[in-house]
Amino acid sequence: MPELLKNKYNEESIRELASRIQAVYHPFQADDFVRSVMDGTWESLELKARMRQIAVNLGNYLPADYGQALGVLDQVAAGYPEGFNDFTLMCFPDFVEVYGQDERHWDLSMAALERHTVFSSSEFAVRPFIISHEARMMEQMSAWARHANEHIRRLASEGCRPRLPWGQALPRFQKDPSPVLAILEQLKADPSLYVRKSVANNLNDISKNHPELVARIARDWYGRDERTDWIVKHGCRTLLKKGNREVMDLFGFADPGSVKVYGFALGAASVAIGQELAFSFTVETEAAAKVRLEYGVDYQKANGRRNRKIFQISELSLKERTKKAYTKIHSFADVSTRKHYPGVHSVTLIVNGTERGALDFEVLAPL
């Protein structure tokens, strides 16, 4: 199982951070700082809470003057390479969020968020500034969208995502994404893949509340620039999973009725948690067609309800009178993002956004 992100913050990484701070600011009480951070509540804290505990304690042990404290953090950050991204330095933007929201600190805070995003990311820290000062902050984001540094341009998009994972919600942008779209318009053909991924993820966020709007944007943007085309395709992934017909047509996926499906079958009637289940099927076309193959698993949850997760199998172009057989193996091992429960589940085959058959099977307790 992959390491939990919260474990990036541990006694070793915090002690190293304290040592680096003390090297540039000698009065820093490194041992006391580590003890304060690693208090009795530490093990129960999740990622953002650990980040916040570090940031609050930085305020307790750095100079009381906000500008001087930022100067110390700047010297520490300079010892890390640009793009350093193991979450260690994300407590620096969080420090700005905690201590720098006062109006008198605005210019210092904006400059610090810009500097520190290059070494980690300020995507979480900008969000309370957006909530409190939307117009002013979105002007700043627009300026960052024109910056020469890709990390700062990415912040312009990532920081205003309506549904940023682990980030504070931006309900106004979920309701009306117009200010966000103005930023994405500037970045829709960005030369950096790092930035384009953020733009696509932002667009995908917006599609969850405004599918028709994103379908229209996709139609307007698509076909003009290969970098923009990549953004549009990746940004429409939720709409594709939901079988949005307008988006399916945009990307050339054939009428699902033109693709025949037969032989859909399970390899077994049951599977134990921790094991794998196979299923197979065959697709056939009379005429040339572009085909998107997916399957949905309806997982039974602890409360007895079902929740569907869509998985992509393949996207391919089939010539006329082509037949292609598939066997897919799906794991029922628990992972950090999914816990399995015994009960009746089902797998549904999806071709170009349309369900083409469903099969039930039993998930059993671990052997």
Side-chain angles (χ1 to χ4, degrees), residues 39-297:
D39 68 8
T41 67
W42 179 260
E43 289 301 322
S44 66
L45 300 179
E46 297 301 323
L47 175 68
K48 289 290 297 299
R50 290 188 177 191
M51 188 187 305
R52 178 56 50 88
Q53 183 139 315
I54 297 169
V56 168
N57 278 283
L58 284 173
N60 293 335
Y61 289 90
L62 289 174
D65 180 85
Y66 179 62
Q68 291 180 21
L70 288 179
V72 173
L73 297 183
D74 286 344
Q75 291 181 69
V76 174
Y80 290 87
E82 180 174 321
F84 183 75
N85 196 24
D86 73 346
F87 280 84
T88 300
L89 296 188
M90 288 190 76
C91 57
F92 287 13
D94 201 56
F95 175 87
V96 175
E97 178 182 339
V98 173
Y99 295 103
Q101 291 194 55
D102 193 287
E103 171 63 28
R104 63 197 169 98
H105 295 324
W106 180 272
D107 291 339
L108 283 173
S109 294
M110 293 301 105
L113 292 172
E114 179 177 311
R115 291 192 302 272
H116 292 161
T117 205
V118 173
F119 299 98
S120 54
S121 178
S122 298
E123 63 198 62
F124 300 138
V126 297
R127 299 172 81 80
F129 290 92
I130 293 174
I131 291 171
S132 300
H133 306 280
E134 180 182 313
R136 187 179 186 185
M137 193 63 205
M138 292 307 285
E139 285 184 14
Q140 178 65 67
M141 303 288 268
S142 182
W144 283 337
R146 301 188 295 273
H147 201 281
N149 187 288
E150 66 174 348
H151 296 276
I152 297 169
R153 295 198 307 278
R154 177 186 178 272
L155 174 61
S157 169
E158 196 72 5
C160 64
R161 282 180 58 182
R163 294 172 174 268
L164 179 67
W166 300 307
Q168 188 174 359
L170 297 177
R172 285 175 59 86
F173 289 169
Q174 290 179 22
K175 183 177 181 180
D176 177 13
S178 300
V180 181
L181 293 175
I183 301 296
L184 303 189
E185 186 70 33
Q186 297 184 69
L187 299 170
K188 67 181 182 182
D190 197 274
S192 166
L193 178 60
Y194 189 46
V195 177
R196 295 198 302 274
K197 285 181 178 179
S198 177
V199 175
N201 289 336
N202 202 324
L203 203 62
N204 188 59
D205 281 1
I206 295 170
S207 75
K208 295 173 183 178
N209 292 95
H210 304 276
E212 294 180 358
L213 171 62
V214 172
R216 185 169 70 248
I217 291 170
R219 188 175 62 248
D220 291 344
W221 285 7
Y222 195 68
R224 301 184 183 185
D225 184 288
E226 63 180 10
R227 294 170 295 190
T228 308
D229 289 352
W230 185 92
I231 288 173
V232 171
K233 181 68 179 299
H234 195 56
C236 287
R237 61 188 183 274
T238 294
L239 296 182
L240 286 168
K241 286 181 178 180
K242 291 185 175 181
N244 182 285
R245 196 67 253 162
E246 186 175 359
V247 172
M248 285 285 178
D249 291 343
L250 176 66
F251 297 123
F253 295 113
D255 177 355
S258 66
V259 182
K260 296 180 180 179
V261 178
Y262 56 91
F264 182 33
L266 295 171
S270 63
V271 59
I273 295 172
Q275 295 187 334
E276 297 175 333
L277 179 71
F279 64 90
S280 57
F281 63 95
T282 299
V283 295
E284 184 177 9
T285 58
E286 289 296 326
K290 188 175 180 182
V291 180
R292 178 182 172 95
L293 300 175
E294 300 167 296
Y295 67 98
V297 176

